[in-house]
Amino acid sequence: MSANLNNNNNNNKNNKVAIGFISGSLASICATTVTNPIELVKTRLQLQGELQLSQRIYNGVWDAFKQIYKTEGIRGLQSGLIPAYFSQATMQGIRLGSFDLISNALGAKPNQDYFFLKNLLAGATAGAIGAAAGSPFDLVKVRMQAANMYKSDPQFVGYSSSFAAFKQIIQKEGFKGLTRGMLTSAQRTAVGSAIQLSTYGSCKNLVLNFVDDGIYAYIISSMVAGFIVTFGMNPFDVARTRLYFQGKGNSHGEIYKGLMDCVYKTVKKEGFGAVYKGFWAHYIRLGPHTILTLVFWEQFKKLFSGEFNKK
């Protein structure tokens, strides 16, 4: 009897982990389809005027959106969508799928000591692992999004598709080239995940005191998490974008050695405000993306666990 109970418990735990991973991947793909155009705008705003080596092309979020739509159309606004799918499915599947697992391992339970701090650590760990795994796809996404912005840059010759971009990077930079910016991506997402997931969990517990468990509670909690995370994440995001962009054959050369070197050189040449380039695009993108991802995540988890069938 006890053996059967143990087997059932193990099966339930395994199912919960699998549901978390699958739900996280599907949720992020749904969210990415909607938010990729603003991600494209953010990337280009962060790259323009880099160390005063390139021109300023766009005057803000709306101007960038209009110019890209006018010159490249809808397809241009969805540049980098395929690697974005792979990146988000990998990163968010691992991040959201492992968050509950790590949180439980740390003993993070509501109304107990250090719940917030344990959630913070669980979010940071899950985010860093997920970001490292998805980083090669993010690298290709950024380069695909920058390719039409810098058409004359020799680095982007042959970037006709995501597969072609992967092939070019491996041929010119080796497999090591796909790890460019990976550490910064992990650091960026660890910061963002720690804030997002811990804030979401704590806020959700607070909101549930006033609102019934459901879509409105998820949206309110997600809005707070998305707002706060933008402030802590943007400097890391700018550095990551620029580290991804640089590569062998780049007209600017390989300028940065890592996160701190990138931040230092960026601030020195462009001023402190440069690490907040693309801030509004980041916020506009992150808010809806956070809401959509977490809302879809909750709904997919319920769907796969059969909770919808119980109603």
Side-chain angles (χ1 to χ4, degrees):
M1 179 70 73
S2 61
N4 289 333
L5 288 175
N6 288 332
N7 286 335
N8 287 335
N9 288 333
N10 288 333
N11 288 335
N12 288 335
K13 287 180 181 178
N14 290 336
N15 288 340
K16 188 175 180 181
V17 172
I19 287 169
F21 278 91
I22 295 169
S23 299
S25 296
L26 291 175
S28 66
I29 287 172
C30 293
T32 298
T33 305
V34 178
T35 61
N36 191 65
I38 196 65
E39 172 74 10
L40 167 73
V41 168
K42 182 202 72 173
T43 296
R44 293 194 180 182
L45 289 172
Q46 290 176 342
L47 288 174
Q48 71 173 0
E50 183 182 13
L51 301 186
Q52 300 176 356
L53 295 172
S54 60
Q55 293 181 336
R56 181 184 175 90
I57 303 171
Y58 309 113
N59 294 313
V61 176
W62 181 239
D63 181 61
F65 189 88
K66 286 193 300 182
Q67 284 199 49
I68 295 168
Y69 176 73
K70 185 177 179 179
T71 57
E72 302 173 43
I74 295 292
R75 186 173 181 180
L77 285 169
Q78 287 289 13
S79 293
L81 182 61
I82 300 303
Y85 279 157
F86 282 103
S87 167
Q88 286 293 308
T90 303
M91 182 181 75
Q92 301 288 15
I94 293 173
R95 185 174 75 98
L96 296 176
S98 64
F99 174 69
D100 285 339
L101 193 66
I102 297 171
S103 182
N104 290 335
L106 292 172
K109 296 180 180 179
N111 303 319
Q112 290 191 3
D113 292 340
Y114 308 113
F115 171 66
F116 181 82
L117 291 177
K118 288 176 179 178
N119 256 5
L120 198 73
L121 180 59
T125 304
I129 295 170
S135 185
F137 300 110
D138 259 332
L139 168 69
V140 172
K141 179 201 71 179
V142 167
R143 299 232 182 140
M144 291 294 292
Q145 291 178 339
N148 283 335
M149 185 180 179
Y150 299 113
K151 292 182 179 180
S152 61
D153 194 310
Q155 174 175 266
F156 300 120
V157 174
Y159 274 47
S160 56
S161 67
S162 299
F163 178 78
F166 264 110
K167 187 177 178 181
Q168 287 282 87
I169 292 167
I170 293 170
Q171 286 179 343
K172 291 182 179 179
E173 304 173 48
F175 283 99
K176 187 178 179 181
L178 292 174
T179 67
R180 191 184 293 274
M182 183 179 286
L183 179 59
T184 298
S185 184
Q187 292 166 330
R188 164 195 176 271
T189 309
V191 170
S193 294
I195 298 171
Q196 183 190 67
L197 291 172
S198 61
T199 304
Y200 175 72
S202 298
C203 183
K204 183 181 172 185
N205 290 329
L206 178 63
V207 168
L208 289 176
N209 292 321
F210 307 97
V211 180
D212 291 335
D213 191 0
I215 190 95
Y216 293 112
Y218 307 150
I219 290 175
I220 293 169
S221 303
S222 300
M223 285 176 68
V224 175
F227 180 81
I228 296 172
V229 74
T230 309
F231 289 97
M233 205 172 176
N234 207 80
F236 293 89
D237 200 61
V238 170
R240 184 189 72 146
T241 297
R242 294 186 172 191
L243 285 165
Y244 280 157
F245 176 71
Q246 72 172 7
K248 291 182 179 179
N250 187 302
S251 59
H252 295 176
E254 296 182 69
I255 307 169
Y256 314 113
K257 297 176 182 178
L259 170 63
M260 296 309 298
D261 186 53
C262 180
V263 171
Y264 171 76
K265 288 177 178 176
T266 297
V267 172
K268 184 178 179 181
K269 279 283 187 180
E270 303 172 59
F272 181 77
V275 296
Y276 280 93
K277 277 188 172 183
F279 175 84
W280 290 112
H282 192 182
Y283 175 69
I284 293 168
R285 181 259 180 193
L286 192 61
H289 192 84
T290 300
I291 293 169
L292 290 169
T293 298
L294 293 176
V295 168
F296 280 126
W297 181 40
E298 295 277 7
Q299 300 309 310
F300 277 125
K301 282 199 297 182
K302 284 187 175 183
L303 178 65
F304 291 128
S305 62
E307 287 190 28
F308 283 144
N309 296 326
K310 296 176 184 178
K311 297 182 178 180

